[in-house]
Amino acid sequence: MTAPASSSESAGLAAQAAHDLHRHESVGFAFIIGCATAFAFITPFSRISYDSGSTPLMIVTLRTAAFALVALALLLARRQKLRLSRHGLINSLWLSLTAYGMSVGYLSSVAFIPVSLAVLILYTSPLLAGLMSAITGRERLTLGKSAAIVLAFIGLAVAMGPTFAALDWRGIAWALAAAFSVASTSVFGGRAIAQDPPLTMNFFTNLWLLPLVLLLGPFTGSWGLPGSAVGGLAAAGAVSCYIAGYMLWFLALQRITGMQVAMMMNIEPVVTIAFAVLVLGEHLSLIQYGGGVLTILALMAFTLGSRRRRTA
């Protein structure tokens, strides 16, 4: 018969469990920061490619097809079976639909409202993720978390300086649909990929997404190739960042909560703005810089507060 553990041994086990959780979350935060940074570079790289003759539809098609090919090559190199459980198959179809909803919603919204306003509405996703988590009982939305989310959103609004002169309900509705898709993936995606290898789920999700993207062709324009070497390199950069970001997204979903994932994705527009200023030569006002700083501080507060509660 095993003797009961002493209080010191129990305390040691509890401390080890807290340390393991802390390390597990730290890796998850590193993955989502890498994901947000990779996604942030897609926009400026795409802009350079567009200037040389490429189109949004071409970039979306290239990145989806390239991701499926890279994932397939890795699976074959590792000799992993191209098979999902029944649960994984259903969820890969669902994940492809949410990815499609984000792409269609965002591409459609910018036809009716300014890009900065579309991006701002898209990044209401942390607020939506927090509400979804609270309503479904997955995570408690505390006062501190709520304040951090609201402050980060205000910071983004100030940093991007959206134009509200020409509001069109169609553009707002499409952008909200995109935000809802992002929030749904953040909150429910972790459980959706829990039973199958992440790389296999990544492959099938993008495989199902590809024909859906191709259906956009008749409605969103043409497939235009870059007309210069610089444009081609920029397109390759956008595709590479998508592949890296999407893989890191799935890895992060396995380690941190959906609300944490959604909140940390606010890094993406801040990095995009910084890149646009430093590389593309765009200019921001002092107030916009302040908005970026406010967003970063809110993210830091949310992250530290969340980790303290999880390890308490």
Side-chain angles (χ1 to χ4, degrees), residues 65-105:
F67 188 100
L69 289 174
V70 169
L72 178 61
L74 290 173
L75 288 170
L76 293 176
R78 295 179 178 182
R79 297 182 179 179
Q80 290 183 230
K81 293 182 179 179
L82 296 175
R83 183 183 302 171
L84 291 174
S85 65
R86 183 180 179 184
H87 174 87
L89 178 61
I90 294 172
N91 282 304
S92 69
L93 291 169
W94 171 75
L95 287 168
S96 68
L97 289 175
T98 58
Y100 184 69
M102 192 277 286
S103 297
V104 172

Side-chain angles (χ1 to χ4, degrees), residues 149-205:
I149 291 172
V150 171
L151 285 176
F153 180 72
I154 293 173
L156 284 177
V158 173
M160 289 186 293
T163 301
F164 296 95
L167 294 180
D168 190 311
W169 70 269
R170 293 171 295 180
I172 294 173
W174 279 117
L176 284 173
F180 183 81
S181 297
V182 173
S184 298
T185 305
S186 297
V187 174
F188 305 108
R191 183 171 296 181
I193 64 175
Q195 297 183 15
D196 293 88
L199 185 58
T200 307
M201 285 291 293
N202 270 305
F203 167 69
F204 279 102
T205 297

Side-chain angles (χ1 to χ4, degrees), residues 116-232:
S116 56
L117 179 57
V119 173
L120 181 60
I121 294 173
L122 178 63
Y123 279 90
T124 60
S125 56
L127 296 171
L128 295 175
L131 292 174
M132 288 181 188
S133 297
I135 292 172
T136 59
R138 292 173 180 268
E139 190 172 353
R140 192 163 63 93
L141 187 60
T142 65
L143 181 61
K145 287 181 180 179
S146 301
I149 291 172
V150 171
L151 285 176
F153 180 72
I154 293 173
L156 284 177
V158 173
M160 289 186 293
T163 301
F164 296 95
L167 294 180
D168 190 311
W169 70 269
R170 293 171 295 180
I172 294 173
W174 279 117
L176 284 173
F180 183 81
S181 297
V182 173
S184 298
T185 305
S186 297
V187 174
F188 305 108
R191 183 171 296 181
I193 64 175
Q195 297 183 15
D196 293 88
L199 185 58
T200 307
M201 285 291 293
N202 270 305
F203 167 69
F204 279 102
T205 297
N206 279 270
L207 184 64
W208 310 144
L209 179 59
L210 183 57
L212 295 176
V213 169
L214 294 176
L215 290 175
L216 285 174
F219 306 100
T220 59
S222 60
W223 286 275
L225 290 172
S228 67
V230 173

